[in-house]
Amino acid sequence: MKNKRILLKLSGESLAKDNGTGINYHKLLEIAETIKEVMNNTNLELAIVVGGGNFWRGRSNTQMDSVTADYIGMLATTMNALALNDALLQVGVESRVQTSIEMRQIAELFIRARALKHLEKKRVLIFGAGTGSPFFSTDTAAALRAIEIKADILLKATNVDYIYDKDPRKYDDYEIIQEISHLEVIQKKLKVMDLTAVSLCLENNLPIQVFNINKVENLKKALTGEKIGSIVK
């Protein structure tokens, strides 16, 4: 495997317990051990953006201010970032957390030059708090950070094996899409990532690989460049 810089997008749900909430520490340590194995045997430089869906799924009532709800979601992603960082440190992987909102007691503020230094020193870099602005998803944060750090690819860890032309959980006549362009994803309104994220990747020629994180061996395959899941390029 050539020297490659990767941005991995992990949803909050991929870290959750079976009921979809909280943190499954067994799963977290499995992910950390897989990252350790890959980092020890390759020249990979790895950054991770985490979601917060296991803690927060948006406004709990229609009266809540949407900006407040988004900021709560950003704090949820930071909790996941700290938990993942702790798991990596437990297994012996040097890592850092950077957040888009200043939280100096618990994490570094995102500064691009510092982020690049961490990656060059083979530290796993975990980004929390999304973009730091409301109305932008963690998918968009992943695309933005991937472009800022000049990642070679954005890995989207999800709970399905491929990209499909329609939801395989609702329809029996779905088709698997193993390779597709960014423009086709936008035109067909496929739910790969949100429109802003896909548009950013299109404009910056950044490929997106979608794979199923529920099979932990898939993470190793994706990180080491094996053909798995679907690719958008």
Side-chain angles (χ1 to χ4, degrees):
M1 177 182 175
K2 68 172 184 173
N3 189 355
K4 180 176 279 192
R5 183 172 291 168
I6 290 175
L7 191 294
L8 171 65
K9 167 66 199 312
L10 289 174
S11 67
E13 287 83 354
S14 69
L15 308 178
K17 299 173 185 175
D18 291 340
N19 64 2
T21 63
I23 295 175
N24 182 331
Y25 287 98
H26 175 72
K27 191 181 293 185
L28 207 61
L29 287 168
E30 265 193 333
I31 291 171
E33 289 282 7
T34 301
I35 290 171
K36 177 183 179 179
E37 181 183 351
V38 174
M39 294 294 289
N40 285 346
N41 292 288
T42 67
N43 290 319
L44 178 69
E45 295 174 1
L46 178 63
I48 302 171
V49 168
V50 286
N54 52 327
F55 288 118
W56 183 250
R57 300 180 193 281
R59 285 182 288 182
S60 55
N61 65 71
T62 56
Q63 303 304 311
M64 178 177 277
D65 178 72
S66 60
V67 173
T68 299
D70 281 356
Y71 279 119
I72 294 172
M74 292 178 214
L75 296 176
T77 72
T78 303
M79 289 192 287
N80 281 332
L82 292 172
L84 179 57
N85 182 63
D86 182 75
L88 287 166
L89 293 173
Q90 282 186 52
V91 301
V93 176
E94 194 173 0
S95 57
R96 296 288 189 277
V97 176
Q98 289 194 341
T99 55
S100 303
I101 299 170
E102 188 168 11
M103 306 181 197
R104 67 178 73 180
Q105 286 86 353
I106 61 172
E108 297 178 5
L109 180 65
F110 170 70
I111 297 172
R112 180 173 177 267
R114 184 178 290 174
L116 293 173
K117 284 289 185 185
H118 286 318
L119 293 170
E120 288 163 5
K121 291 179 179 179
K122 292 267 288 181
R123 294 169 181 153
V124 174
L125 188 56
I126 307 165
F127 296 119
T131 65
S133 299
F135 305 113
F136 292 97
S137 71
T138 49
D139 277 352
T140 296
L144 178 62
R145 293 288 179 256
I147 294 161
E148 287 179 305
I149 65 170
K150 297 186 176 180
D152 297 301
I153 191 167
L154 194 166
L155 299 182
K156 164 84 171 179
T158 183
N159 59 1
V160 293
D161 293 320
Y162 300 98
I163 297 170
Y164 303 91
D165 66 334
K166 58 186 71 172
D167 191 337
R169 293 164 294 192
K170 296 179 180 178
Y171 303 96
D172 294 326
D173 60 339
Y174 64 84
E175 290 185 9
I176 292 171
I177 301 170
Q178 291 189 301
E179 188 170 316
I180 191 170
S181 71
H182 298 89
L183 193 57
E184 285 179 294
V185 169
I186 294 167
Q187 290 171 340
K188 294 178 179 180
K189 298 181 180 179
L190 299 179
K191 297 185 181 300
V192 177
M193 302 180 87
D194 68 59
L195 182 63
T196 305
V198 178
S199 297
L200 277 171
C201 292
L202 168 63
E203 290 169 8
N204 291 274
N205 197 30
L206 178 68
I208 306 165
Q209 186 170 355
V210 177
F211 69 98
N212 191 339
I213 189 67
N214 292 329
K215 302 169 185 175
V216 72
E217 66 272 13
N218 287 353
L219 177 57
K220 180 180 177 181
K221 290 178 181 178
L223 291 174
T224 54
E226 286 190 45
K227 188 173 182 180
I228 187 171
S230 300
I231 188 82
V232 181
K233 62 180 183 178

